[in-house]
Amino acid sequence: MKHLVRGPVFILVADAVARTVCDYADALARNARTDRVDVPTFDRCGCGTTTSVHVASGRPLLVLDADDDELGDDLDGPFAADTRAFVADITARTAALAGGGTSPC
């Protein structure tokens, strides 16, 4: 598990989600674009939830290892389908930006 960090806010996400959001943020910055994404996250009790994140150039996004990694990477857990769907969607958006195409969002 990882924390996406924006300012004082720590958002607990699966490793694949953190990598995908960072790749997308990089692609958006290279294309001078912004987007709001609904990221599958976990609350303090480990329950799945969703957090909206504005991804934009000039808005630093940091990824840190979570201190307590009891939830694993969530690619096989109860929220695996949501995680995989999110990763596939954001990966497609990233590829569209890399290819100069229009983002499918």
Side-chain angles (χ1 to χ4, degrees):
M1 298 301 291
K2 304 286 185 196
H3 286 290
L4 287 178
V5 183
R6 166 79 45 80
V9 178
F10 285 65
I11 305 166
L12 185 63
V13 299
D15 292 5
V17 169
R19 286 188 302 272
T20 303
V21 170
C22 284
D23 290 345
Y24 188 46
D26 188 44
L28 287 167
R30 284 193 311 269
N31 287 276
R33 308 260 319 258
T34 68
D35 197 5
R36 181 188 59 84
V37 293
D38 295 326
V39 179
T41 61
F42 299 92
D43 65 15
R44 291 181 182 175
C45 297
C47 295
T49 187
T50 302
T51 302
S52 292
V53 177
H54 181 228
V55 183
S57 179
R59 298 196 62 165
L61 187 64
L62 178 66
V63 175
L64 298 173
D65 287 332
D67 292 335
D68 192 354
D69 200 6
E70 293 178 10
L71 296 173
D73 192 30
D74 192 44
L75 293 179
D76 296 315
F79 306 106
D82 292 341
T83 300
R84 286 192 178 104
F86 174 82
V87 168
D89 176 47
I90 299 303
T91 299
R93 293 185 198 193
T94 303
L97 287 168
T102 304
S103 176
C105 57

